[in-house]
Structures are given as C-alpha cells and as structure tokens.
Amino acid sequence: MLKLSILDQSPVSSGFTHSDALQQTIQLAQLADRLGYTRFWVSEHHNSQGLAGSSPEVLLSTLAARTNRIRLGSGGVLLPHYSSYKVAENFRMLEALYPGRIDLGIGRAPGGTPHTAKALRGVSADLFEGLERFPAQVTDLLGFLTDSVEPGHVFEGIRATPMVAGVPQVWLLGSTGQSGVYASQAGAAFCFAHFINGAGGQQAVRSYRSSFKPSALNVVPQATVCIYVLCAETQAEAEELAASIDLRILQMEKGEFTGVKSPEEAAEYVYSDWDQTRLRDNRSRMIIGDPGQVREQMLNLASSYQVDEVMVVAGGYLPETRQRTIELLAEAFDLAALKV
C-alpha cells in the first residue's frame, strides 16, 4: 500500500496575509494528521512575498503541539546558512519534546537571493565556500546527532543537548543527482523534488540506492519523491483550479515571487508563446485530475521511482482547494487503514 505525505510551503495567495498562510499550514497539518498521512514537512524560504515559512524549527514546534500522530519535519533546513551544531541542537530539542515524530530534512539551496543569503550568513560570507563546505557540514551534523564525532576532530568532546536516546530521521533533499550522492555517502534518506525538476529523478534515486553506505541512521536506503498534486471531484474542475499552479510556477521561473493567483486572475493573464511552452513543459512536475486519474498517475510515479511513499505539494489558490485535494487522496488510497 502506498504511503502519502505532504510538503507544505505556506503559500501566500493574493488577498491573504503571511499570518493567514501560516494558520492555513497549521490547519492542513491537523487535517493530514486525522486522515492518516505519514509525514508533514514545512519549507524554508527567505525574503519572499509569496511564501511565509522562514523558520521551520519554530513552525514545527507549533505543529507538533497541535497534532497527535503524524511525523513532522523540515523540507528542509538550508544547512549552508547555519552552524551544524545549532541545527543538531534544534532538532534534538524537537525530538526530546516529541519523541519518534521528528524528521530533519536538509538542503543546500539558498532559499532566496544571493543578497538575502548574505544577510543570513553575514555580509562578509563567501556563498560559494558555503556550498563547498556542505558535505563536511553534513558529516558534522550527523556526528552531533548520533554522538559519533570522530576522535581528533576539532569538535571532539562536544555533545548536542538535550541528550536524548532518539535520533530524528535525517533526509537530504534535492532536485539533482548530486544531493542523492551526498545522501548515499552519509547513509541518510533521500527525497527527490520532482515538483522542482520533472526530469532525471528516477536515475538520481537509482544511483543513490546503488551507492548507499549503511550508517547509524539507516541500514538500507530509503527514498521518496515529492510532486505537485491537485485533485478535485472532476477532471474539468481540477483543470480549472490548476490554472493557479500553472501561473505560479511560470511567474517563479520569471523571478516574480508574488504568491498564488486565483483561477480568475490566471485566466486574465496574457501568456506569450514562450509562456505557453513553459506551461506545457511544467505539467511534468504536476499530477492533476479526478481521484481515479490522480491515483493511477501517483501509482505510476511511485513505480517509476521504486518507492513506497509519495510526498504531495497540494496546489491551489484557496486553502479549501488544498484541503480537498488531501481529503480526496486519503479516500482514494484508503489512508485510514494505515493509521497507527
């Protein structure tokens, strides 16, 4: 039976505020918890008009307090901006408060403009050096999480507090094969962002599995794939609502991060020939349709990646649209049977 999870980016739709978007994330997590979803992740973006989630650790603490069963995680913490030690302490704190429910997803993307990245790291920071240091940062992070900092290391003897028995599940996230390489070398789980890059993900996951090195985190490789989904009662309704996703992705490609437009606003947008080509190409990053169509396409996607779990970015302008998507998916995949 296919497991389903959710990545929610706290999108800010036109006519709504950042505070509204965060409340919508809380409501979606509570619904996913009741419906039987496996995990619920939140993202990290900075200086963005269209995305409200800038601090996943803080948001996760609220979500954990307001849900009962579902795993919660970051999708993901942008590690090059931060100290590995501080990230380890933040997620050990979450694990101590909510044992067995915390995922630590990490990525190496900037999550904003280079100028914003300098504000995060310090104005004198070398952004390229941060990316080059990423593998070493991952090693340090895992050492702190598992109390396995090697003898002779500059951080030998330093332990991340609070000291707890459990370890958050660690995932590396990416839209290219390079993140899969890092995940396999670290013995971490790997999530491919098909919603960002609709090509090459299957090969990236195969390569991750073939080169995986067992670790204190995982004895065998664990992978999942994340994709945009919009499900409605009919295909016609789904296509009408999906115009908001089409336009949002197109505008992000153009560097316009203004948030999610309504289907009516999308219908009034003047699309160039290049825009139309991008709309068609970007559909490879989405699954749109009625419950039967969406179920079939998601099963095909999972089969192509050889995974037993698919992570959904529920798309749409209104929170009710995103909520209805995950309700229909829960029914189509009988998630109630997976509840523990």
Side-chain angles (χ1 to χ4, degrees), residues 189-231:
F190 177 47
C191 177
F192 188 84
H194 194 104
F195 74 102
I196 295 175
N197 179 10
Q202 291 88 344
Q203 179 57 47
V205 171
R206 284 194 295 271
S207 297
Y208 157 75
R209 286 199 180 95
S210 65
S211 58
F212 180 83
K213 297 180 180 179
S215 69
L217 299 170
N218 294 288
V219 177
V220 296
Q222 182 178 356
T224 188
V225 56
C226 185
I227 188 168
Y228 281 115
V229 177
L230 195 152
C231 188

Side-chain angles (χ1 to χ4, degrees), residues 276-295:
Q276 294 288 356
T277 299
R278 293 307 306 146
L279 293 183
R280 290 190 295 270
D281 291 346
N282 285 335
R283 279 303 180 99
S284 67
R285 298 155 62 179
M286 314 175 204
I287 292 176
I288 309 295
D290 64 36
Q293 294 169 325
V294 168
R295 185 179 191 278

Side-chain angles (χ1 to χ4, degrees), residues 9 12 14 48 59 90 95 111 115 123 131 133 136 144 149 168 187 198 233 252 264-265 298 301 304 324 330:
Q9 297 180 300
V12 184
S14 59
S48 173
L59 184 52
N90 284 340
E95 178 68 25
H115 194 55
V123 293
L131 293 177
R133 288 190 59 251
F144 291 133
V149 176
E233 277 77 2
M252 287 193 295
E264 294 75 19
E265 290 172 309
M298 289 182 66
L301 181 74
S304 73
R324 189 59 182 148

Side-chain angles (χ1 to χ4, degrees), residues 35-335:
L35 291 174
Y37 282 78
T38 298
R39 61 187 94 240
F40 188 98
W41 287 359
V42 295
S43 63
E44 178 181 342
H45 295 87
H46 300 281
N47 192 31
S48 173
Q49 181 180 341
L51 297 169
S54 59
S55 180
E57 304 92 334
V58 175
L59 184 52
L60 288 174
S61 65
T62 295
L63 297 181
R66 300 193 186 187
T67 54
N68 299 309
R69 173 201 56 83
I70 196 167
R71 293 192 66 90
L72 299 159
S74 55
V77 169
L78 305 179
L79 189 58
H81 295 320
Y82 309 116
S83 152
S84 295
Y85 183 65
K86 185 58 177 174
V87 173
E89 290 203 320
N90 284 340
F91 278 80
R92 271 202 161 181
M93 178 64 75
L94 288 167
E95 178 68 25
L97 295 171
Y98 304 98
R101 294 184 59 200
I102 302 301
D103 295 339
L104 168 52
I106 54 178
R108 60 192 181 104
T113 65
H115 194 55
T116 304
K118 279 188 172 292
L120 282 163
R121 302 185 200 179
V123 293
S124 62
D126 185 328
L127 303 185
F128 293 103
E129 180 185 4
L131 293 177
E132 291 173 355
R133 288 190 59 251
F134 182 75
Q137 281 190 290
V138 172
T139 299
D140 291 345
L141 175 63
L142 300 185
F144 291 133
L145 286 173
T146 60
D147 292 324
S148 60
V149 176
E150 294 185 358
H153 192 286
V154 64
F155 298 137
E156 181 183 2
I158 298 176
R159 297 187 66 184
T161 54
M163 298 175 189
V164 292
V167 178
Q169 284 191 12
V170 179
W171 294 75
L172 264 67
L173 322 176
S175 57
T176 68
Q178 186 59 55
S179 294
V181 171
Y182 292 144
S184 64
Q185 292 173 344
F190 177 47
C191 177
F192 188 84
H194 194 104
F195 74 102
I196 295 175
N197 179 10
Q202 291 88 344
Q203 179 57 47
V205 171
R206 284 194 295 271
S207 297
Y208 157 75
R209 286 199 180 95
S210 65
S211 58
F212 180 83
K213 297 180 180 179
S215 69
L217 299 170
N218 294 288
V219 177
V220 296
Q222 182 178 356
T224 188
V225 56
C226 185
I227 188 168
Y228 281 115
V229 177
L230 195 152
C231 188
E233 277 77 2
T234 67
Q235 181 183 7
E237 182 186 3
E239 285 291 342
E240 179 182 351
L241 295 171
S244 296
I245 312 176
D246 289 329
L247 179 56
R248 178 172 184 257
I249 294 176
L250 177 66
Q251 290 186 311
M252 287 193 295
E253 290 181 335
K254 293 180 174 183
E256 302 169 7
F257 302 99
T258 56
V260 186
K261 305 300 183 185
S262 69
E264 294 75 19
E265 290 172 309
E268 294 175 357
Y269 190 87
V270 179
Y271 296 93
S272 67
D273 290 342
W274 182 88
D275 292 341
Q276 294 288 356
T277 299
R278 293 307 306 146
L279 293 183
R280 290 190 295 270
D281 291 346
N282 285 335
R283 279 303 180 99
S284 67
R285 298 155 62 179
M286 314 175 204
I287 292 176
I288 309 295
D290 64 36
Q293 294 169 325
V294 168
R295 185 179 191 278
E296 180 180 4
Q297 291 180 60
M298 289 182 66
L299 288 172
N300 289 339
L301 181 74
S303 177
S304 73
Y305 274 87
Q306 297 184 320
V307 296
D308 63 359
E309 178 182 353
V310 173
M311 183 162 280
V312 169
V313 181
Y317 168 66
L318 292 173
E320 292 82 2
T321 300
R322 301 190 288 274
Q323 291 170 6
R324 189 59 182 148
T325 284
I326 73 167
E327 288 172 342
L328 291 172
L329 289 181
E331 294 171 8
F333 285 92
D334 192 21
L335 293 191

